[in-house]
Amino acid sequence: MDQRTVDTGMPLNSMKLKLKKLKNQVMVITGATSGIGLVTARMAAEQGVKLVLAARNEDALNILQKELKVRGTESVYVVADVSKEEDIDKIADRAIGHFGGFDTWVNNAGVALYGYSAEIPVEDMRHLFDINFWGIVYGTRKAVAHYKEKGEPGSIINLGSVVGNRAFPVQSIYSASKHAIRGFTDGIRMELEKEHAPVVISQIHPARIDTPYTDHATSYIDKKPTHKGIVYPPESVAEAILHVAEHPTRDMYVGTQAKFFSIFGMVHPRITDKIMELNTFQTNYDENQSSPAPEAGNLFEPKEDLYERGTNLGWHRPKSLMVKAKKHPALSTIGLMTVGAALAALKVIEVKKAMEVKKVMEIKKLKKSLF
């Protein structure tokens, strides 16, 4: 391949590009038969979007397409494994062959892996990266080529995670794949803006979401994976995806904790380590249920699909205020104030603890001098 000239001109602001209204769009969704992908497909259909549905489970795809047809939605499906670049080509070819192209590509497909990193088989780790990371790389590159060829602005939406901003224990390999997605997404965005490519690249950062994610997970811990703590509905993520598909947005966080951990974990990494070491391990599993065997997960083959929700135990929130705030800028100040107040409160706690430690040390020093 010939070397190309490095662009030196002023970059484009891709967030100023004009995207089509949803009702005029063709949208590709990978991982369309479960959880976030399934909810997004159904909500997009309500907005009049034409759909290209991709997943590994053909039976589920067939049923979903028939359901959407009854609703009056035009859709096609492709049986595809995103870890294979040739399958990504099949998705794009189907979209172009049937609809003449596509306007938004949602890189949603992903798998989960629970366990201690020193003990998980490397083969499993590699395959998770093949799906979670390389699937997004392949999809992004294919969509970029299509939008350049069309010469019309198009959107690419990559699904990140709260654990892509701050790693979680017992999910370190999944966290690593999501960190990689963030680096790739941010890097290629800058490259494309420098060359004035007609591409908007966005990333969604969900907190813990009530989907079959934990039910489909491949697990090497002895208790069943689950989400505890605050859990948000998949509709909030789908709402964010559909908003970004129409309104260019660099990042969108679903759930205040997604934004909080991103900021606090960066500013106070060691304190965050200790907080998570004390509190996060037990929020990953249900101590009352044994974990299925690793082969029960969907890492290497699809499992039962067409479920939007999972069997998670956490506090189920009805919606994400962070998404509402992003969609309605007047509310964004409230969201920032909430995160700021939380950070300030933690800083006060940190200072108080430091003062208490200092007092204890002074008392011990005084006692030592007296006796």
Side-chain angles (χ1 to χ4, degrees), residues 17 29 32 65 89 108 113-114 142 149 206 231 238 251 259 264 347 365:
L17 292 173
I29 303 175
Q65 184 190 38
D89 293 341
N108 166 72
L113 184 57
Y114 282 72
K142 196 68 183 178
E149 184 177 348
V231 182
D251 296 282
K259 186 77 169 181
F264 192 78
K347 187 66 178 177
K365 190 175 181 180

Short mmCIF file of all heavy atoms in Angstrom, two decimals, residues 17 29 32 65 89 108 113-114 142 149 206 231 238 251 259 264 347 365:
data_model
loop_
_atom_site.label_atom_id
_atom_site.label_comp_id
_atom_site.label_asym_id
_atom_site.label_seq_id
_atom_site.Cartn_x
_atom_site.Cartn_y
_atom_site.Cartn_z
N LEU A 17 -21.87 18.65 11.23
CA LEU A 17 -22.45 18.04 10.04
C LEU A 17 -23.95 17.81 10.23
O LEU A 17 -24.41 17.57 11.35
CB LEU A 17 -21.75 16.71 9.73
CG LEU A 17 -20.29 16.79 9.28
CD1 LEU A 17 -19.69 15.40 9.17
CD2 LEU A 17 -20.18 17.51 7.94
N ILE A 29 -27.90 -2.19 12.66
CA ILE A 29 -27.72 -2.48 14.09
C ILE A 29 -27.12 -3.88 14.22
O ILE A 29 -27.74 -4.86 13.81
CB ILE A 29 -29.05 -2.42 14.86
CG1 ILE A 29 -29.73 -1.06 14.71
CG2 ILE A 29 -28.81 -2.72 16.35
CD1 ILE A 29 -31.11 -0.98 15.35
N ALA A 32 -28.61 -7.23 17.14
CA ALA A 32 -29.97 -6.68 17.10
C ALA A 32 -31.02 -7.55 17.77
O ALA A 32 -32.19 -7.14 17.86
CB ALA A 32 -30.38 -6.42 15.65
N GLN A 65 -37.79 -9.75 12.33
CA GLN A 65 -38.16 -9.13 11.06
C GLN A 65 -39.66 -9.23 10.81
O GLN A 65 -40.31 -8.27 10.38
CB GLN A 65 -37.40 -9.77 9.90
CG GLN A 65 -37.68 -9.08 8.56
CD GLN A 65 -37.14 -9.84 7.38
OE1 GLN A 65 -37.19 -11.08 7.37
NE2 GLN A 65 -36.64 -9.13 6.39
N ASP A 89 -18.68 -7.26 5.84
CA ASP A 89 -18.89 -6.95 4.42
C ASP A 89 -20.28 -7.38 3.97
O ASP A 89 -20.95 -6.67 3.19
CB ASP A 89 -17.83 -7.64 3.56
CG ASP A 89 -16.42 -7.10 3.79
OD1 ASP A 89 -16.30 -5.97 4.32
OD2 ASP A 89 -15.45 -7.80 3.44
N ASN A 108 -23.07 -2.38 18.10
CA ASN A 108 -23.62 -2.72 19.41
C ASN A 108 -23.23 -4.12 19.88
O ASN A 108 -23.16 -4.38 21.08
CB ASN A 108 -25.15 -2.61 19.36
CG ASN A 108 -25.82 -3.26 20.54
OD1 ASN A 108 -25.76 -2.76 21.67
ND2 ASN A 108 -26.44 -4.41 20.31
N LEU A 113 -17.48 -11.41 29.87
CA LEU A 113 -16.62 -12.45 30.43
C LEU A 113 -16.29 -12.08 31.87
O LEU A 113 -15.71 -11.03 32.14
CB LEU A 113 -15.34 -12.56 29.60
CG LEU A 113 -14.32 -13.64 29.93
CD1 LEU A 113 -14.96 -15.02 29.88
CD2 LEU A 113 -13.16 -13.57 28.94
N TYR A 114 -16.72 -12.93 32.80
CA TYR A 114 -16.47 -12.71 34.23
C TYR A 114 -15.40 -13.67 34.73
O TYR A 114 -15.41 -14.85 34.37
CB TYR A 114 -17.75 -12.94 35.04
CG TYR A 114 -18.75 -11.82 34.99
CD1 TYR A 114 -19.50 -11.57 33.84
CD2 TYR A 114 -18.97 -10.99 36.09
CE1 TYR A 114 -20.43 -10.56 33.78
CE2 TYR A 114 -19.90 -9.97 36.06
CZ TYR A 114 -20.63 -9.75 34.90
OH TYR A 114 -21.55 -8.72 34.85
N LYS A 142 -15.85 -0.07 7.58
CA LYS A 142 -16.78 -0.29 6.47
C LYS A 142 -17.72 0.89 6.30
O LYS A 142 -17.99 1.34 5.18
CB LYS A 142 -17.58 -1.57 6.72
CG LYS A 142 -18.28 -2.12 5.48
CD LYS A 142 -17.26 -2.62 4.48
CE LYS A 142 -17.91 -3.11 3.19
NZ LYS A 142 -16.91 -3.56 2.20
N GLU A 149 -17.63 7.27 0.02
CA GLU A 149 -18.05 6.99 -1.36
C GLU A 149 -19.32 7.74 -1.73
O GLU A 149 -19.44 8.29 -2.82
CB GLU A 149 -18.25 5.48 -1.55
CG GLU A 149 -18.57 5.08 -2.98
CD GLU A 149 -18.71 3.58 -3.16
OE1 GLU A 149 -18.34 2.82 -2.24
OE2 GLU A 149 -19.20 3.15 -4.23
N PRO A 206 -22.83 3.58 28.54
CA PRO A 206 -23.86 3.16 29.50
C PRO A 206 -23.27 2.75 30.84
O PRO A 206 -22.17 2.18 30.91
CB PRO A 206 -24.53 1.96 28.82
CG PRO A 206 -23.99 1.92 27.42
CD PRO A 206 -22.65 2.59 27.48
N VAL A 231 -29.32 0.20 38.36
CA VAL A 231 -29.43 -0.42 37.05
C VAL A 231 -30.43 0.38 36.21
O VAL A 231 -31.53 0.68 36.68
CB VAL A 231 -29.90 -1.90 37.16
CG1 VAL A 231 -29.95 -2.54 35.79
CG2 VAL A 231 -28.99 -2.69 38.09
N ALA A 238 -31.16 3.08 24.20
CA ALA A 238 -31.75 3.21 22.86
C ALA A 238 -32.13 4.66 22.58
O ALA A 238 -31.93 5.16 21.47
CB ALA A 238 -32.97 2.30 22.74
N ASP A 251 -19.95 12.29 22.74
CA ASP A 251 -20.13 11.28 23.78
C ASP A 251 -21.49 11.46 24.44
O ASP A 251 -21.95 12.60 24.61
CB ASP A 251 -19.06 11.40 24.87
CG ASP A 251 -17.67 11.13 24.36
OD1 ASP A 251 -17.32 9.94 24.19
OD2 ASP A 251 -16.92 12.10 24.11
N LYS A 259 -20.80 8.80 34.17
CA LYS A 259 -20.04 10.05 34.12
C LYS A 259 -19.19 10.22 35.38
O LYS A 259 -18.03 10.64 35.31
CB LYS A 259 -21.01 11.23 33.99
CG LYS A 259 -20.35 12.58 33.78
CD LYS A 259 -19.86 12.74 32.36
CE LYS A 259 -19.44 14.15 32.07
NZ LYS A 259 -18.97 14.35 30.68
N PHE A 264 -14.20 10.85 38.43
CA PHE A 264 -13.56 10.62 39.72
C PHE A 264 -12.42 9.61 39.60
O PHE A 264 -11.38 9.75 40.25
CB PHE A 264 -14.60 10.13 40.73
CG PHE A 264 -14.08 10.14 42.15
CD1 PHE A 264 -14.00 11.32 42.86
CD2 PHE A 264 -13.66 8.97 42.77
CE1 PHE A 264 -13.51 11.34 44.15
CE2 PHE A 264 -13.17 8.98 44.06
CZ PHE A 264 -13.09 10.18 44.76
N LYS A 347 -14.67 14.75 48.10
CA LYS A 347 -13.45 15.47 48.45
C LYS A 347 -13.47 15.87 49.92
O LYS A 347 -12.46 15.77 50.63
CB LYS A 347 -13.31 16.72 47.57
CG LYS A 347 -11.98 17.46 47.74
CD LYS A 347 -10.83 16.60 47.26
CE LYS A 347 -9.50 17.33 47.37
NZ LYS A 347 -8.37 16.48 46.97
N LYS A 365 1.94 10.19 68.86
CA LYS A 365 3.25 10.82 69.05
C LYS A 365 3.35 11.43 70.46
O LYS A 365 4.36 11.33 71.12
CB LYS A 365 3.44 11.88 67.99
CG LYS A 365 4.86 12.44 67.92
CD LYS A 365 4.99 13.39 66.74
CE LYS A 365 6.39 13.94 66.65
NZ LYS A 365 6.55 14.88 65.51
#
